[in-house]
Structure formats: C-alpha cells, structure tokens
Amino acid sequence: MNKSELIKSSLKETKERRKTQTPTVYQLKLQNLNQRDVELLDRLFLEAKWLTNYVVSDIQNRLTPDTWKLKEVEVKVKDNFEKREITHLGSQIKQSIVERIKDNLEGLSESKKKGYKVGKLHFKSEVNSLVLKQYGNTYTIDFKTNKVHIQGIKKEFRVLGLHQIPDNAEVTKGELIKKPSGYYLYVTTFLNAEPDKIKTRKGKVKERYVERFDKPIGIDFGIKDQLTLSNSMKINYEVKESKRLKRLQKQLARKKGYRKGEVKSKNFFKSLNKSKREYGKLSNIKKDIENRVFAFIKSYEKVYMQDENIKGWKSGLFGRNIQHTSIGGITSRLKNNLETLLLLDRFLPTTQTCSNCGHKQKISLSDRVFKCELCGFEIDRDWNSARDMVLFGEKTPLKNLPEDFWEATPVEREATARILESNPYIRVSYISVKQEALSLN
Ligand SMILES: [Zn+2]
C-alpha cells in the first residue's frame, strides 16, 4: 500500500471505530506561566494572525498548496509593508490555518449560490484559537508529568485538568485557545464506553458533561425552526403521532364502550391500554428531547430569551405544530429551572434591529431574511433575533466583538453531537457562519 492508500484505509477504520465511540472535550488550563511563556504563546497567535491576513489580502496568489510552508510574510504597518518571520508555528498548525481559510472561502461561495450578497473575507484583528489537529504529532501530552508539548515549541507547558481524562480514552485533536482568563487547551477524546455516568442526589444516574461555555447565548423560539441560537445553531425536533398510535386510536373508536352510554367491554380496555402505552412512548421521547436541550443550554454561562406569548401561539394558526414540537415544554422548563436564564422583555425589538449595525427597521412576518437598509447586512431572521438578545442583554457595543463571537466553537459542536444529536429526533444545523463576511465595510 502506498501512503495515500494507507491514509484512506486508516480513515475508514477510524470512521468505523467512531460509530461506537463517544466524543468528549476536556478543558485544560495552562498553568504556572511566566512572562516568557506568555510571550511565547502570544507569539504563536500573532504569527497565526500574520499568516491569515497575509493570505486573505491576496487569496488568488497566496492560497496555494505550498502556502503552509511560508516562513516569511508581509504585514501592513500603517501604509507600508514590513516583513515578518514565521518562526514558531509548526507546519501542521500552519496547515490548519490555511484549511480554515479554505473553509471560510467555501462558505462564502455557498452563501453566494444561495443568493446572498457576498463580500470578501475579512482581515482578522485577532486570532485566538489554533487547531492542533493530530495528537502525537502536532501536540503530545505527558500524563505522568502533566505536561503538554506543542509542535515547534521546545518549552513544555504544565496543564491543569488532566485527571478528568479517563485512562482508556483515545486522545485526538486539540485546540489552543487564548481567553482573557488565560490559555487553554481543549482536548477531544473518544471513549469506547458510554460517557461517564454520575449519580445525582436523588440517586438517579445521569450523564456527566464537562463543558462550561463561558459565553452568553441568545435563543429565538420559532415556528419554522424551533430553536435558533445566537451561535448560529438551529435545533429542530419533531415527534409526530406515530402511525401505530393513529391506528390504535381508530381501533379503540370501534370498540364497544367507546361511545357514551355504552357498557365498556373487555376489548375496549385492552385497546385503551395499548393506546396509552404507545402514547407513553411518544411522551417519553419528548421528555428525552427536553432533557437534552435543557442539558445543553445549561452549559452556557448566561442564557437570554425573550418572554414571548407562547400561549398565544397554541390557539392560533400553528397550534398543532407547537404540540408536536413541545416548544412550550422546553420554554417552561427553561423558565422554571434554569438558573442562568435572563428573561428579556418581550417588547424589545429583536426582530427589527440589525445585529450588525443596530439600525431599526420594519420586517414583515414572511421575510425569512433580515436585510439591513442601512449597512446592507443580510442574515437569517431568527439568527438576527437571537444575536440581538445577547446584544440587548449584555449591552455589548456592536464593535469590538471577537470575530468568532457568533460561531459555535469546536467544543460547542462536540457537545452538541454528544448531547443532542444522539437522539435521532433532534436535528442540528449551523447557519453558514461565513455570512459574517457579508457585512459591508
Ligand atoms: Zn445594519
């Protein structure tokens, strides 16, 4: 077998193996950093920014199969270009940076196909995340000394939190993240068994999840898409009356005792029980969905939603849909049990305000896309609302947001896969985040 065949077959094997495995992401904090360590780490992020912006500023000529080999780039300093050396970034990290640019470009062209107005890729004012794609190569962990080695860097970093990772976990990619609170390594692992179970105080066994997303999230509840999150995620689920339930109900209607005044026959009760059991199955599925959505949303530092008149929906045009999707179940669950929930006034104009520039305008009920008259920003209607909730709630100025503020991070995606998508009735999709590039300058 040649090398590419070898890679192909091992990819296939990996894919097979993953089917029975559970991904978990662990957050490790880099510890005991001195001034020089911090400078070293910052240098990595800085070089990543240089490389990104160098490529983005002339994609046609600079995005080549050899881009990752670059050892020197130009950066714009005021009106001049100056040379900068890439001295610390390892080759695989550089490859990941280039891949990320390619992904973003693909996203752009997809948006274009869908008819969105598309700008070009923006320069990054900051790069705060580096993908370490291959464990054992791009980075390694010494579990005995609690140290992490990153490709291209001699110094090893002590990390906090390795004890969380079970011995039998298969460690895969990592992501180095810079936050105001410090430097972190997110490690993705795969476990053959079910995720760890923990016992609650009431003695119930629950899945444990390790994520805490230290960012706020806004949730828009809708008819077309049940939940749209400010991080570009859409969560949909539907539990329809099963055919079996319909059949059972028809059977029941024919039994003696169904109609008022009739003596209830033995067969009637038999049939009634069958219906009840089937109905119970469906409501268990609904409960499971609610539990999962709740568990996922609970991971966020703060949750914003608008106190909307959901009761009003029930009697209206969409009544039946709402029942199938049990949105009422989830909203009341969140309202009653979520400590991190911040309820916003329902009259805040979240559907009418541009989440890019703050301009307020009318939007009709049927418009699925919000098109800002002022700045030209085009965005999914529900996503715009969800973002506005965070902006209104946090009173965040529209400028100075990190570039990936509205994206689902790898950690969030991983948690989504594990907590939500393992239920076949839940569908999760991501709005093409590259719409961020739609905002015009
Ligand atoms: Zn605008």
Side-chain angles (χ1 to χ4, degrees):
M1 255 193 268
N2 64 30
K3 201 179 169 191
S4 82
E5 276 171 339
L6 210 66
I7 290 172
K8 236 187 226 165
S9 88
S10 91
L11 275 180
K12 209 175 156 193
E13 272 169 31
T14 307
K15 216 174 164 189
E16 274 307 305
R17 208 167 59 243
R18 294 282 180 260
K19 281 183 187 164
T20 57
Q21 290 179 317
T22 324
T24 308
V25 180
Y26 295 95
Q27 174 182 286
L28 310 174
K29 187 167 188 187
L30 272 59
Q31 248 191 330
N32 300 345
L33 299 175
N34 59 34
Q35 190 55 39
R36 278 182 63 188
D37 298 336
V38 171
E39 281 166 17
L40 195 60
L41 288 163
D42 283 345
R43 171 80 190 192
L44 283 181
F45 290 109
L46 185 65
E47 289 187 4
K49 181 180 112 173
W50 288 341
L51 181 60
T52 305
N53 288 343
Y54 176 75
V55 178
V56 166
S57 64
D58 185 4
I59 283 174
Q60 283 192 330
N61 294 310
R62 291 176 180 171
L63 191 61
T64 71
D66 287 337
T67 306
W68 63 274
K69 290 180 187 162
L70 284 172
K71 292 212 164 103
E72 195 181 70
V73 295
E74 281 173 347
V75 299
K76 201 173 175 188
V77 182
K78 286 180 187 158
D79 291 328
N80 300 312
F81 288 97
E82 289 178 12
K83 292 215 188 304
R84 292 281 188 274
E85 271 182 89
I86 307 283
T87 49
H88 287 67
L89 283 182
S91 56
Q92 285 193 329
I93 303 180
K94 287 197 265 185
Q95 280 173 26
S96 301
I97 294 171
V98 175
E99 274 160 25
R100 190 182 271 179
I101 298 173
K102 278 187 195 156
D103 284 349
N104 287 342
L105 274 179
E106 267 165 36
L108 268 186
S109 76
E110 251 167 54
S111 296
K112 200 170 180 180
K113 270 185 219 150
K114 284 182 192 155
Y116 289 109
K117 216 188 283 170
V118 170
K120 47 183 187 177
L121 289 183
H122 279 319
F123 293 113
K124 296 261 177 195
S125 58
E126 237 174 7
V127 171
N128 293 324
S129 122
L130 295 171
V131 177
L132 313 174
K133 61 179 180 178
Q134 206 179 17
Y135 181 68
N137 204 346
T138 332
Y139 78 111
T140 46
I141 297 173
D142 186 337
F143 284 86
K144 279 190 193 128
T145 57
N146 289 329
K147 281 183 176 170
V148 168
H149 176 260
I150 297 167
Q151 188 188 48
I153 298 195
K154 277 198 194 112
K155 158 98 195 186
E156 292 186 331
F157 298 104
R158 219 181 136 75
V159 286
L160 188 70
L162 276 177
H163 64 278
Q164 308 168 78
I165 303 180
D167 291 338
N168 56 341
E170 186 184 334
V171 179
T172 62
K173 70 167 184 194
E175 194 169 0
L176 193 64
I177 308 257
K178 179 184 176 177
K179 295 187 193 182
S181 55
Y183 297 83
Y184 296 84
L185 178 67
Y186 284 90
V187 173
T188 303
T189 66
F190 287 89
L191 264 180
N192 282 321
E194 291 282 285
D196 295 336
K197 310 271 185 184
I198 50 159
K199 273 195 177 160
T200 63
R201 260 178 292 164
K202 286 178 188 164
K204 268 190 180 172
V205 177
K206 262 174 103 183
E207 277 185 11
R208 95 180 181 152
Y209 57 96
V210 290
E211 299 80 9
R212 295 299 308 169
F213 309 134
D214 55 353
K215 69 179 194 186
I217 193 102
I219 311 175
D220 178 82
F221 293 92
I223 305 297
K224 190 180 161 287
D225 294 305
Q226 275 109 42
L227 278 76
T228 303
L229 273 50
S230 54
N231 69 356
S232 85
M233 260 176 72
K234 281 185 184 285
I235 305 174
N236 279 292
Y237 51 87
E238 187 173 26
V239 187
K240 276 199 175 135
E241 278 176 31
S242 64
K243 277 185 188 153
R244 188 175 143 77
L245 183 60
K246 278 183 195 157
R247 204 174 57 235
L248 288 172
Q249 278 171 336
K250 266 185 202 160
Q251 281 173 8
L252 181 66
R254 287 197 295 268
K255 295 285 181 292
K256 204 179 165 201
Y258 182 76
R259 263 171 242 138
K260 240 186 181 174
E262 283 178 343
V263 181
K264 291 185 172 55
S265 63
K266 223 178 176 183
N267 275 338
F268 168 81
F269 284 112
K270 252 191 189 169
S271 184
L272 181 66
N273 263 334
K274 273 190 193 166
S275 287
K276 272 188 179 167
R277 245 179 291 152
E278 182 65 17
Y279 189 81
K281 268 190 216 161
L282 294 179
S283 58
N284 281 343
I285 295 174
K286 277 187 203 167
K287 259 195 206 117
D288 183 60
I289 293 173
E290 282 177 26
N291 288 342
R292 286 167 188 274
V293 173
F294 185 80
F296 177 72
I297 289 172
K298 206 176 147 192
S299 312
Y300 287 89
E301 179 191 50
K302 276 185 233 169
V303 179
Y304 290 104
M305 60 185 247
Q306 231 167 336
D307 194 7
E308 274 171 293
N309 188 1
I310 289 160
K311 265 186 207 145
W313 293 359
K314 227 170 201 166
S315 52
L317 188 58
F318 305 110
R320 233 181 143 64
N321 271 334
I322 298 254
Q323 262 187 2
H324 286 156
T325 56
S326 73
I327 239 183
I330 283 188
T331 49
S332 66
R333 179 87 188 271
L334 292 172
K335 277 188 201 169
N336 296 329
N337 300 315
L338 191 65
E339 285 167 12
T340 44
L341 181 71
L342 295 153
L343 220 46
L344 297 170
D345 188 290
R346 80 166 106 134
F347 294 110
L348 274 179
T350 50
T351 38
Q352 299 175 8
T353 307
C354 173
S355 63
N356 186 51
C357 75
H359 174 69
K360 199 179 146 194
Q361 68 188 49
K362 285 261 173 322
I363 170 168
S364 85
L365 257 172
S366 59
D367 284 341
R368 296 306 313 158
V369 175
F370 180 96
K371 297 180 186 171
C372 180
E373 293 160 352
L374 191 68
C375 74
F377 191 60
E378 293 185 18
I379 180 172
D380 175 272
R381 172 200 183 97
D382 300 335
W383 192 20
N384 187 54
S385 301
R387 290 162 50 134
D388 275 337
M389 288 177 204
V390 176
L391 292 169
F392 279 120
E394 294 278 290
K395 302 181 178 70
T396 316
L398 284 160
K399 279 177 188 167
N400 308 325
L401 286 174
E403 280 254 14
D404 59 356
F405 191 75
W406 305 117
E407 291 175 26
T409 62
V411 191
E412 290 173 80
R413 284 175 191 247
E414 225 87 51
T416 306
R418 185 162 49 79
I419 301 173
L420 298 178
E421 288 173 302
S422 47
N423 178 313
Y425 291 89
I426 305 180
R427 275 172 292 119
V428 177
S429 58
Y430 299 90
I431 306 164
S432 171
V433 168
K434 288 78 203 181
Q435 285 188 31
E436 71 178 348
L438 296 175
S439 64
L440 305 178
N441 293 316

PDB file of all heavy atoms in Angstrom, residues 353-359 361 370-377, ligand 1:
ATOM      1  N   THR A 353     -34.175  44.799  14.680  1.00  0.00           N
ATOM      2  CA  THR A 353     -32.918  45.518  14.826  1.00  0.00           C
ATOM      3  C   THR A 353     -31.782  44.755  14.156  1.00  0.00           C
ATOM      4  O   THR A 353     -31.654  43.542  14.333  1.00  0.00           O
ATOM      5  CB  THR A 353     -32.593  45.722  16.324  1.00  0.00           C
ATOM      6  OG1 THR A 353     -33.719  46.340  16.938  1.00  0.00           O
ATOM      7  CG2 THR A 353     -31.369  46.592  16.507  1.00  0.00           C
ATOM      8  N   CYS A 354     -31.001  45.475  13.378  1.00  0.00           N
ATOM      9  CA  CYS A 354     -29.863  44.852  12.697  1.00  0.00           C
ATOM     10  C   CYS A 354     -28.805  44.469  13.730  1.00  0.00           C
ATOM     11  O   CYS A 354     -28.345  45.322  14.479  1.00  0.00           O
ATOM     12  CB  CYS A 354     -29.279  45.814  11.663  1.00  0.00           C
ATOM     13  SG  CYS A 354     -27.761  45.216  10.902  1.00  0.00           S
ATOM     14  N   SER A 355     -28.426  43.213  13.756  1.00  0.00           N
ATOM     15  CA  SER A 355     -27.439  42.785  14.745  1.00  0.00           C
ATOM     16  C   SER A 355     -26.021  43.079  14.285  1.00  0.00           C
ATOM     17  O   SER A 355     -25.060  42.687  14.929  1.00  0.00           O
ATOM     18  CB  SER A 355     -27.603  41.297  15.059  1.00  0.00           C
ATOM     19  OG  SER A 355     -27.373  40.519  13.916  1.00  0.00           O
ATOM     20  N   ASN A 356     -25.922  43.762  13.160  1.00  0.00           N
ATOM     21  CA  ASN A 356     -24.592  44.157  12.697  1.00  0.00           C
ATOM     22  C   ASN A 356     -24.316  45.630  12.995  1.00  0.00           C
ATOM     23  O   ASN A 356     -23.221  45.992  13.395  1.00  0.00           O
ATOM     24  CB  ASN A 356     -24.456  43.893  11.204  1.00  0.00           C
ATOM     25  CG  ASN A 356     -23.048  44.143  10.701  1.00  0.00           C
ATOM     26  OD1 ASN A 356     -22.092  43.615  11.274  1.00  0.00           O
ATOM     27  ND2 ASN A 356     -22.907  44.946   9.665  1.00  0.00           N
ATOM     28  N   CYS A 357     -25.348  46.484  12.790  1.00  0.00           N
ATOM     29  CA  CYS A 357     -25.094  47.920  12.982  1.00  0.00           C
ATOM     30  C   CYS A 357     -26.053  48.580  13.958  1.00  0.00           C
ATOM     31  O   CYS A 357     -25.866  49.720  14.344  1.00  0.00           O
ATOM     32  CB  CYS A 357     -25.136  48.648  11.636  1.00  0.00           C
ATOM     33  SG  CYS A 357     -26.812  48.878  11.001  1.00  0.00           S
ATOM     34  N   GLY A 358     -27.127  47.858  14.355  1.00  0.00           N
ATOM     35  CA  GLY A 358     -28.044  48.422  15.336  1.00  0.00           C
ATOM     36  C   GLY A 358     -29.189  49.215  14.739  1.00  0.00           C
ATOM     37  O   GLY A 358     -30.042  49.713  15.462  1.00  0.00           O
ATOM     38  N   HIS A 359     -29.232  49.308  13.414  1.00  0.00           N
ATOM     39  CA  HIS A 359     -30.310  50.049  12.753  1.00  0.00           C
ATOM     40  C   HIS A 359     -31.642  49.324  12.960  1.00  0.00           C
ATOM     41  O   HIS A 359     -31.720  48.108  12.907  1.00  0.00           O
ATOM     42  CB  HIS A 359     -29.995  50.158  11.259  1.00  0.00           C
ATOM     43  CG  HIS A 359     -31.096  50.781  10.454  1.00  0.00           C
ATOM     44  ND1 HIS A 359     -31.430  52.108  10.576  1.00  0.00           N
ATOM     45  CD2 HIS A 359     -31.938  50.251   9.541  1.00  0.00           C
ATOM     46  CE1 HIS A 359     -32.441  52.374   9.753  1.00  0.00           C
ATOM     47  NE2 HIS A 359     -32.759  51.263   9.116  1.00  0.00           N
ATOM     48  N   GLN A 361     -35.569  48.710  11.740  1.00  0.00           N
ATOM     49  CA  GLN A 361     -36.477  48.849  10.597  1.00  0.00           C
ATOM     50  C   GLN A 361     -37.588  47.812  10.693  1.00  0.00           C
ATOM     51  O   GLN A 361     -37.499  46.846  11.434  1.00  0.00           O
ATOM     52  CB  GLN A 361     -35.697  48.652   9.295  1.00  0.00           C
ATOM     53  CG  GLN A 361     -35.211  47.237   9.103  1.00  0.00           C
ATOM     54  CD  GLN A 361     -34.265  47.083   7.913  1.00  0.00           C
ATOM     55  OE1 GLN A 361     -33.321  47.843   7.754  1.00  0.00           O
ATOM     56  NE2 GLN A 361     -34.525  46.083   7.094  1.00  0.00           N
ATOM     57  N   PHE A 370     -33.340  38.922   7.175  1.00  0.00           N
ATOM     58  CA  PHE A 370     -33.313  40.330   7.546  1.00  0.00           C
ATOM     59  C   PHE A 370     -32.284  41.020   6.657  1.00  0.00           C
ATOM     60  O   PHE A 370     -31.123  40.627   6.617  1.00  0.00           O
ATOM     61  CB  PHE A 370     -32.906  40.460   9.021  1.00  0.00           C
ATOM     62  CG  PHE A 370     -32.847  41.878   9.525  1.00  0.00           C
ATOM     63  CD1 PHE A 370     -33.922  42.436  10.190  1.00  0.00           C
ATOM     64  CD2 PHE A 370     -31.707  42.658   9.329  1.00  0.00           C
ATOM     65  CE1 PHE A 370     -33.880  43.740  10.670  1.00  0.00           C
ATOM     66  CE2 PHE A 370     -31.650  43.964   9.793  1.00  0.00           C
ATOM     67  CZ  PHE A 370     -32.736  44.503  10.462  1.00  0.00           C
ATOM     68  N   LYS A 371     -32.748  42.036   5.910  1.00  0.00           N
ATOM     69  CA  LYS A 371     -31.818  42.789   5.068  1.00  0.00           C
ATOM     70  C   LYS A 371     -31.754  44.210   5.576  1.00  0.00           C
ATOM     71  O   LYS A 371     -32.735  44.940   5.503  1.00  0.00           O
ATOM     72  CB  LYS A 371     -32.294  42.792   3.614  1.00  0.00           C
ATOM     73  CG  LYS A 371     -32.328  41.410   2.999  1.00  0.00           C
ATOM     74  CD  LYS A 371     -32.813  41.447   1.558  1.00  0.00           C
ATOM     75  CE  LYS A 371     -32.963  40.010   1.055  1.00  0.00           C
ATOM     76  NZ  LYS A 371     -33.616  39.917  -0.236  1.00  0.00           N
ATOM     77  N   CYS A 372     -30.607  44.585   6.071  1.00  0.00           N
ATOM     78  CA  CYS A 372     -30.494  45.916   6.682  1.00  0.00           C
ATOM     79  C   CYS A 372     -30.432  46.994   5.601  1.00  0.00           C
ATOM     80  O   CYS A 372     -29.608  46.940   4.697  1.00  0.00           O
ATOM     81  CB  CYS A 372     -29.267  45.977   7.575  1.00  0.00           C
ATOM     82  SG  CYS A 372     -29.076  47.584   8.356  1.00  0.00           S
ATOM     83  N   GLU A 373     -31.330  47.957   5.745  1.00  0.00           N
ATOM     84  CA  GLU A 373     -31.357  49.063   4.781  1.00  0.00           C
ATOM     85  C   GLU A 373     -30.129  49.940   4.921  1.00  0.00           C
ATOM     86  O   GLU A 373     -29.719  50.611   3.987  1.00  0.00           O
ATOM     87  CB  GLU A 373     -32.583  49.955   5.056  1.00  0.00           C
ATOM     88  CG  GLU A 373     -33.907  49.293   4.783  1.00  0.00           C
ATOM     89  CD  GLU A 373     -35.054  50.005   5.511  1.00  0.00           C
ATOM     90  OE1 GLU A 373     -34.764  50.900   6.335  1.00  0.00           O
ATOM     91  OE2 GLU A 373     -36.214  49.633   5.254  1.00  0.00           O
ATOM     92  N   LEU A 374     -29.591  49.940   6.117  1.00  0.00           N
ATOM     93  CA  LEU A 374     -28.508  50.888   6.374  1.00  0.00           C
ATOM     94  C   LEU A 374     -27.129  50.318   6.015  1.00  0.00           C
ATOM     95  O   LEU A 374     -26.389  50.916   5.250  1.00  0.00           O
ATOM     96  CB  LEU A 374     -28.530  51.297   7.848  1.00  0.00           C
ATOM     97  CG  LEU A 374     -27.624  52.464   8.200  1.00  0.00           C
ATOM     98  CD1 LEU A 374     -28.143  53.744   7.570  1.00  0.00           C
ATOM     99  CD2 LEU A 374     -27.512  52.625   9.714  1.00  0.00           C
ATOM    100  N   CYS A 375     -26.822  49.140   6.532  1.00  0.00           N
ATOM    101  CA  CYS A 375     -25.455  48.639   6.333  1.00  0.00           C
ATOM    102  C   CYS A 375     -25.387  47.509   5.295  1.00  0.00           C
ATOM    103  O   CYS A 375     -24.306  47.053   4.948  1.00  0.00           O
ATOM    104  CB  CYS A 375     -24.850  48.183   7.656  1.00  0.00           C
ATOM    105  SG  CYS A 375     -25.515  46.631   8.258  1.00  0.00           S
ATOM    106  N   GLY A 376     -26.554  47.041   4.825  1.00  0.00           N
ATOM    107  CA  GLY A 376     -26.533  46.020   3.784  1.00  0.00           C
ATOM    108  C   GLY A 376     -26.394  44.604   4.305  1.00  0.00           C
ATOM    109  O   GLY A 376     -26.380  43.644   3.543  1.00  0.00           O
ATOM    110  N   PHE A 377     -26.299  44.465   5.599  1.00  0.00           N
ATOM    111  CA  PHE A 377     -26.149  43.150   6.221  1.00  0.00           C
ATOM    112  C   PHE A 377     -27.363  42.272   5.938  1.00  0.00           C
ATOM    113  O   PHE A 377     -28.494  42.716   6.055  1.00  0.00           O
ATOM    114  CB  PHE A 377     -25.996  43.359   7.723  1.00  0.00           C
ATOM    115  CG  PHE A 377     -25.579  42.151   8.494  1.00  0.00           C
ATOM    116  CD1 PHE A 377     -24.388  41.505   8.222  1.00  0.00           C
ATOM    117  CD2 PHE A 377     -26.362  41.671   9.534  1.00  0.00           C
ATOM    118  CE1 PHE A 377     -23.991  40.403   8.959  1.00  0.00           C
ATOM    119  CE2 PHE A 377     -25.974  40.570  10.286  1.00  0.00           C
ATOM    120  CZ  PHE A 377     -24.780  39.948   9.988  1.00  0.00           C
TER     121      PHE A 377
HETATM  122 ZN    ZN B   1     -27.288  47.130   9.645  1.00  0.00          ZN
END
